[in-house]
Amino acid sequence: MENNIDWSKLPFGYYPTDYNVRCTFRNGQWGPIEVSQSETINIHIAATSLHYGQEIFEGLKAFRGADGKIRIFRMRENAKRLQESARGLLMEPVPVEIFEEMCIKCVKLNERFVPPYESGASLYLRPLEIGITPRIGVKEADEYTFIIMCTPVGPYFPSGFGCTNICIMREFDRVAPQGTGRWKVGGNYAASLGAGHKAHELGYSAVLYLDPKEKKYLDECGPANFYAVKDGKYITPKSDSILPSITNMSLMQLAHDMGIEVEERHITVDELATVSEAAACGTAAVCSPIGRIDDLDTGIKYEIAKDGKPGPVTTALYNKLNGIRYGLEPDVHGWNTIIE
Ligand SMILES: *Cc1c(COP(=O)(O)O)cnc(C)c1O
């Protein structure tokens, strides 16, 4: 069946596809992988995911390359990270093989929704795991459902790769110092909605959170990691409250390959005055370059991109990573899974 979707106009939103895939853990084991055409789930009203937030998720993309082949980017890393998140919330880790098989199945079943190469769009896969055992007392579930749904999403920069402004706000924290920030938990997003809303109202694309303990170091940039370029080095915060971004991990490798020194360390707020580039990074955008960072509490405005344009390191990394995802650049690290 063909589509008549205007791929280049797709937003980053939900667009229905034909199938999703599911697997349930019950009686101490994972059951068969099931294919569903339903967009809803039927769960108990007392399920732990609904009451006590036992919900974790992932996000990854499949791309149609210039050669027509479909590639899924670094899905094994997403599988491993979902397992870390599961352990963090006492949930049942999904075996890597089941995760990978389900990703491939989901892409194949929905192949007609994988956008053409020229559109710059992609198929976004959203795996999620929920506790489904009914509980009223606070305790982890015994049963879990793991689902992979997908939706085609448009290019992140429909009007071209460009900078946005962000802000620092001390009024809210996304996570606690030794809390759930290092895991991909739905509740972390719930905790960040208020701050994000306020930033958007003030005209910023995201909040640059500070470390929740001392409010001294840079942490994450909304739902993305943060990096900067200082004296030609790629610097990115290291902290227990940061979700380890697979995009950031990939950019660090590519920077290293390009001969750029990489430092994972604490970065103080004042250091922003000395960086030549800064960006948020994650699956959605790869790199989202930052023009200016306004500290709402001190009134200091850090002008990062003085000419308003993405810097050379960010541009090179962005092109390189996208090139690998679309099969234009050699995949020397074996990051792509090609769907046969
Ligand atoms: C998903 C996510 C990221 C980005 O991770 P990628 O694997 O690069 O997509 C960064 N920070 C948070 C809080 C996230 O949830």
Side-chain angles (χ1 to χ4, degrees), residues 270-281:
D270 330 331
E271 240 190 301
L272 287 173
T274 66
V275 307
S276 58
E277 296 181 33
C281 61

Side-chain angles (χ1 to χ4, degrees), residues 68-72 104-105 107-109 111 336-340:
K69 289 183 183 157
I70 299 172
R71 292 170 175 81
I72 309 180
I104 293 169
K105 204 169 187 115
V107 172
K108 280 189 173 163
L109 288 166
E111 196 180 331
N336 292 321
T337 300
I338 296 181
I339 305 297
E340 302 297 343

Side-chain angles (χ1 to χ4, degrees), residues 81 174 184 189 220 222-225 243 245-247 281-283:
R81 191 170 66 186
R174 190 183 72 91
K184 211 166 174 79
Y189 280 72
E220 286 214 66
N225 276 188
L243 191 276
S245 152
I246 296 162
T247 310
C281 61
T283 295

Side-chain angles (χ1 to χ4, degrees), residues 156-197:
Y156 194 86
F157 297 104
S159 52
F161 189 49
C163 292
T164 63
N165 298 334
I166 63 169
C167 66
I168 295 172
M169 208 192 272
R170 287 169 190 72
E171 190 183 346
F172 303 99
D173 290 312
R174 190 183 72 91
V175 290
Q178 299 296 319
T180 54
R182 71 195 99 158
W183 303 310
K184 211 166 174 79
V185 173
N188 294 344
Y189 280 72
S192 73
L193 290 175
H197 183 82

Side-chain angles (χ1 to χ4, degrees), residues 28-137:
Q29 58 184 10
W30 288 99
I33 294 171
E34 292 161 27
V35 174
S36 174
Q37 292 196 71
S38 168
E39 287 172 276
T40 63
I41 48 174
N42 192 1
I43 60 170
H44 197 284
I45 55 173
T48 62
S49 49
L50 300 178
H51 296 253
Y52 302 126
Q54 267 198 316
E55 190 273 347
I56 55 177
F57 67 100
E58 274 302 327
L60 66 164
K61 283 177 171 178
F63 303 86
R64 196 182 296 277
D67 56 4
K69 289 183 183 157
I70 299 172
R71 292 170 175 81
I72 309 180
F73 186 71
R74 303 202 79 172
M75 70 173 170
R76 179 150 298 181
E77 292 302 325
N78 292 90
K80 292 196 300 203
R81 191 170 66 186
L82 186 78
Q83 291 190 326
E84 286 301 313
S85 300
R87 291 185 190 106
L89 266 57
L90 298 190
M91 297 170 68
E92 184 64 30
V94 175
V96 170
E97 309 73 60
I98 292 182
F99 184 100
E100 293 188 335
E101 188 182 335
M102 284 174 64
C103 282
I104 293 169
K105 204 169 187 115
C106 189
V107 172
K108 280 189 173 163
L109 288 166
N110 295 293
E111 196 180 331
R112 72 187 183 101
F113 295 98
V114 184
Y117 167 70
E118 302 74 32
S119 65
S122 57
L123 185 71
Y124 183 69
L125 303 184
R126 169 52 66 81
L128 71 150
E129 183 178 354
I130 52 174
I132 57 168
T133 307
R135 298 252 193 253
I136 290 299

